[in-house]
Amino acid sequence: MTNDILIETTGRAGRISLNRPRALHALTLDMCHAMSAALTKWASDDAVEAVIVDHAEGRGFCAGGDIAFLRNSALNDGGVSGRGFFHDEYQLNHQMFEYAKPIVAFMDGVTMGGGVGISQPAKFRVATENTRFAMPETGIGLFPDVGGGWYLSRLPGRLGQFLALTGARLDGAECLWAGLATHYLPTDKLEEAKARIAEHPDRIAGILSELSVTPPPARIEANADKIAHHFKSDRLEEVIASLEADADDQGSDWAIKELATLRTKSPQTCKVALRELAESARLHHLCDEMVMEYRIASRVLTRPDFAEGVRAVIVDKTGDPQWNPPTPEQVSDELIDSIFAPLPDNEEWKPL
C-alpha cells in the first residue's frame, strides 16, 4: 500500500483519502491501483454501504494525474508507460461510474483533470468555498480525458465546450450552478458530514441537504448567454471568428479576454476537444467514451504539443509553448481523424 493514499473503513463507509499534499494530491499509477483495489474489495463487503473520497490535507482535492511521469514517458519510452497509466486510470474512472454503492466526493480544493475523473462519477459531489474546478488540458497539449468528454458534453448552453477550450476555473458556487456539484457545504461542516455519512449511509442525501448552505451568486451565470452564442460551433475557426467579431464590433472586454486565452492554447488540443465533445454527446455508455479517450490519449501523448506544453507550463514555467501545428488552420482534419482512429484490437481500452 502506498503512503500517497489512505484507505480505511469508518463506521459503515469506506474512506479513500488522497495524501500527496505537495503535489496537490495528483494521482500516480500506484494510487489508481490502490483505489481500484479498495473499491473492488468493498463492492462485495456488506459492511461497507457507501464510499467517501476526499483528501488528507492541503488546498488540493486532486490536481490531476502525474504529468511529469507522462512527459518522461513521451520523451524516453515512446509513450509505453504513459499509455499504461492512462489505461488503468480510465479503468478506475469507469469503475467508479458503474459502482453499485453510493460514492461521495468532497471536492474541497483544486479539482482538475484527474481530480475531475474521480469526482464526477460520484453520485454525490460536494463543493465548498475552496473548490477550484477546471479541465486545463488545452494549455498543456493533452485533452479533456478521464471521462471529461462525457461530463462536459452534457452540460447546458455549450458550457462544456467553453470549459474544454479555455480551461476556465469554476468556484464551488459555479460548480453547483452548472450541475458539476450536487451540494455546497462550508468547509467547517465537512467533518460532521463525513462522520454522519459513515454512521448513516442510507441518509446521505438528507445529511448533505441539512448541512448545505446557500452559495454566493455563480459569476459565470452572467456570461452564460455569451458562452452559448460564441462557443456554439464545433469548428475552432468559427468560435474564434465569433469572438473576434464581438471584440472588433462591440469592443467586448469579455470577448477580448477569452480570445486572448484561446490564442495561448494548443490548436491541436482545441480541435481534438471539440470533436471529442461532439462525439461524446452521441454515446450511450461511458465504456464507449473511455475507448475513444484512450485512442486519443495513446496518440496525443507522443505528439509534439504535450511534451512542449508541459515544459512551458510546468517544468520551465516560461509560459511560452511553441505549438506544432502553430495555428488552427494548420491542424488538418486528417490529423484529427488519425488521432481518433481505432487502435489494433489487442491495444484497445478495456474495462476492469
Side-chain angles (χ1 to χ4, degrees), residues 99-116:
Y99 207 61
K101 299 178 182 184
I103 298 175
V104 191
F106 287 89
M107 309 187 305
D108 179 39
V110 175
T111 304
M112 296 184 185
V116 174

Side-chain angles (χ1 to χ4, degrees), residues 150-173:
W150 180 274
Y151 306 115
L152 295 181
S153 67
R154 283 156 176 77
L155 296 179
R158 303 293 288 186
L159 180 60
Q161 285 76 7
F162 169 74
L163 295 175
L165 290 179
T166 66
R169 297 184 180 191
L170 302 186
D171 63 24

Side-chain angles (χ1 to χ4, degrees), residues 131-149:
T131 301
R132 296 293 179 270
F133 178 104
M135 292 296 279
E137 288 80 9
T138 52
I140 57 168
L142 198 54
F143 74 106
D145 66 334
V146 294

Side-chain angles (χ1 to χ4, degrees), residues 38-323:
L39 290 169
T40 299
K41 176 184 173 186
W42 291 334
S44 57
D45 185 348
D46 291 342
V48 175
E49 298 175 42
V51 175
I52 293 167
V53 180
D54 63 5
H55 69 280
E57 60 174 283
R59 62 188 183 88
F61 164 67
C62 176
D66 193 343
I67 293 295
F69 168 84
L70 292 169
R71 181 174 187 264
N72 186 59
S73 171
L75 294 174
N76 296 309
D77 70 12
V80 173
S81 57
R83 284 191 288 273
F85 177 88
F86 283 130
H87 184 277
D88 293 4
E89 182 186 21
Y90 296 178
Q91 285 187 329
L92 169 64
N93 302 142
H94 180 259
Q95 179 184 21
M96 293 181 72
F97 187 87
E98 297 286 344
Y99 207 61
K101 299 178 182 184
I103 298 175
V104 191
F106 287 89
M107 309 187 305
D108 179 39
V110 175
T111 304
M112 296 184 185
V116 174
I118 60 168
S119 59
Q120 288 306 298
K123 182 175 182 180
F124 302 98
R125 303 176 301 280
V126 179
T128 73
E129 67 270 25
N130 296 327
T131 301
R132 296 293 179 270
F133 178 104
M135 292 296 279
E137 288 80 9
T138 52
I140 57 168
L142 198 54
F143 74 106
D145 66 334
V146 294
W150 180 274
Y151 306 115
L152 295 181
S153 67
R154 283 156 176 77
L155 296 179
R158 303 293 288 186
L159 180 60
Q161 285 76 7
F162 169 74
L163 295 175
L165 290 179
T166 66
R169 297 184 180 191
L170 302 186
D171 63 24
E174 292 171 311
C175 286
L176 186 70
W177 174 81
L180 293 161
T182 59
H183 296 81
Y184 184 93
L185 269 64
T187 52
D188 60 8
K189 293 292 185 183
L190 295 186
E191 290 311 311
E192 180 184 349
K194 294 169 193 176
R196 288 175 62 183
I197 287 168
E199 193 175 339
H200 298 288
D202 53 324
R203 288 201 58 244
I204 297 172
I207 291 165
L208 293 177
S209 294
E210 286 168 22
L211 297 175
S212 289
V213 296
T214 302
R219 292 171 300 173
I220 198 168
E221 186 176 5
N223 295 319
D225 290 345
K226 294 181 191 138
I227 290 169
H229 173 70
H230 290 298
F231 288 79
K232 64 177 179 278
S233 176
D234 287 329
R235 287 199 64 79
L236 179 60
E237 293 88 342
E238 292 176 5
V239 172
I240 291 171
S242 180
L243 288 167
E244 284 176 337
D246 202 16
D248 293 342
D249 296 347
Q250 310 294 327
S252 164
D253 290 344
W254 184 87
I256 291 167
K257 179 173 80 74
E258 298 308 334
L259 198 54
T261 296
L262 268 185
R263 286 178 171 150
T264 68
K265 307 302 185 183
S266 158
Q268 169 196 287
T269 304
C270 288
K271 287 201 170 186
V272 165
L274 286 173
R275 166 86 173 264
E276 176 196 4
L277 267 61
E279 300 271 351
S280 298
R282 294 191 281 268
L283 298 176
H284 299 293
H285 302 285
L286 188 77
C287 195
D288 298 326
E289 173 74 29
M290 304 320 288
V291 168
M292 176 178 70
E293 290 190 8
Y294 184 68
R295 292 170 179 172
I296 301 169
S298 296
R299 291 171 174 124
V300 300
L301 177 64
T302 52
R303 285 198 51 77
D305 276 7
F306 176 60
E308 171 62 7
V310 177
R311 177 205 66 76
V313 175
I314 295 170
V315 179
D316 297 340
K317 294 183 169 60
T318 51
D320 61 346
Q322 304 301 303
W323 302 123

